[in-house]
Amino acid sequence: MQLTHLDEKDRPKMVDVSAKAPTERVAVASGKITMSPDAYSAIVEERTKKGPVLQTAVIAAIMGTKKTSDLIPMCHPLNLSGINCDVEELPELPGFRLSVTAKLTGQTGVEMEALTGVSIGLLTIYDMVKAIDKGMVISDVQLETKRGGKSGEYQRS
């Protein structure tokens, strides 16, 4: 299998997508953060010293999605047409599940953007609550679905 991010001399390169036809592309990624009951309660009850954690995490996830090409070397800068974030309370963990949907019409996919947004959003939760619980665990950052492009559709089973 030939790696697309290496040239004929095995040097790193960004893939040339100029010959690809633009298509609508959508990717959804998610991840979890598990924490102590005290940290969870402080977030849900909005009792943290750093402000509204979940709202800040959503803003951070959007910013992370938009800045993916600045963080991941071979990602193309993209003109995203939409970003949606959702936070689900998981009291049984206790913790939260964050999902990001990234969308565009373009020549390359948005999987990395959705995954980066999730990662940045979860790291923001950690940062804002680490004074209460340094043992929080970020896990299960994964692509849930994607559609568009040559490889077609993907659905996590």
Side-chain angles (χ1 to χ4, degrees):
M1 180 175 157
Q2 174 111 13
L3 297 176
T4 59
H5 287 86
L6 295 176
D7 69 11
E8 63 283 347
K9 294 183 181 178
D10 288 335
R11 294 177 300 205
K13 71 170 185 172
M14 190 166 81
V15 174
D16 182 355
V17 297
S18 59
K20 289 182 167 185
T23 61
E24 181 181 74
R25 296 160 185 265
V26 179
V28 180
S30 70
K32 293 178 188 170
I33 186 165
T34 307
M35 61 194 60
S36 69
D38 288 344
Y40 179 82
S41 295
I43 293 170
V44 171
E45 296 167 12
E46 296 188 4
R47 293 185 286 105
T48 62
K49 292 181 181 180
K50 292 188 176 183
V53 174
L54 299 180
Q55 293 90 327
T56 305
V58 167
I59 293 167
I62 292 168
M63 290 175 66
T65 302
K66 291 167 48 174
K67 291 289 197 177
T68 298
S69 67
D70 292 336
L71 301 168
I72 310 293
M74 302 304 174
C75 285
H76 293 81
L78 300 179
N79 187 20
L80 297 166
S81 58
I83 302 168
N84 187 48
C85 301
D86 185 51
V87 179
E88 179 183 356
E89 295 178 7
L90 301 172
E92 68 278 5
L93 288 181
F96 300 90
R97 180 178 181 267
L98 174 68
S99 63
V100 172
T101 302
K103 181 179 179 182
L104 62 65
T105 299
Q107 297 166 300
T108 188
V110 289
E111 297 93 338
M112 292 306 300
E113 286 69 20
L115 288 161
T116 301
V118 167
S119 299
I120 297 298
L122 293 172
L123 285 167
T124 298
I125 293 172
Y126 186 97
D127 178 54
M128 293 184 75
V129 190
K130 67 183 182 278
I132 300 170
D133 180 8
K134 289 179 181 36
M136 289 177 281
V137 175
I138 293 171
S139 65
D140 302 325
V141 176
Q142 59 194 20
L143 182 66
E144 298 293 344
T145 65
K146 69 89 66 195
R147 75 171 193 270
K150 187 171 77 174
S151 67
E153 303 219 359
Y154 169 80
Q155 174 73 47
R156 180 167 298 282
S157 45

